Amino acid sequence: MTLSELCQRDILTLSAEASVHKAAEMMRTHHVGALALTDPEDPTRVVGVVTDRDLVVNLLAQGRTANEQTVGAYSSVHLVRVPGIGHGA
């Protein structure tokens, strides 16, 4: 089995300008720990990733509320793309 076959999953996306509350709601509803964030002007362009840990450590632990902040403010923006590994053993 190749890496690309193993990692075949739908990716949930959300605009980087959405509220942290909306991101947390999506994570809970879909039972995931991360969302890909998209450019508000180009929804096909991923500009960051936010995890449930990002929200807890960087938002809740600092006493901020989820409705005041955009999710993009808490995302990782230095993304690394891993191509699927080709056929063979």
Side-chain angles (χ1 to χ4, degrees):
M1 178 176 276
T2 66
L3 179 61
S4 61
E5 291 169 336
L6 182 65
C7 296
Q8 291 289 328
R9 301 188 91 190
D10 292 332
I11 297 172
L12 293 175
T13 62
L14 183 65
S15 171
E17 288 186 344
S19 72
V20 169
H21 181 264
K22 177 67 176 171
E25 186 177 72
M26 281 185 70
M27 288 180 190
R28 182 174 185 263
T29 299
H30 296 283
H31 305 285
V32 297
L35 299 171
L37 300 181
T38 58
D39 183 332
E41 295 178 18
D42 181 4
T44 64
R45 183 173 166 258
V46 174
V47 296
V49 174
V50 69
T51 66
D52 49 4
R53 186 175 191 282
D54 292 330
L55 301 183
V56 170
V57 171
N58 297 318
L59 180 106
L60 294 178
Q62 294 179 11
R64 297 184 175 138
T65 63
N67 286 326
E68 296 175 353
Q69 309 294 321
T70 63
V71 70
Y74 298 94
S75 67
S76 299
V77 295
H78 301 291
L79 306 177
V80 176
R81 180 179 175 269
V82 178
I85 297 175
H87 302 339

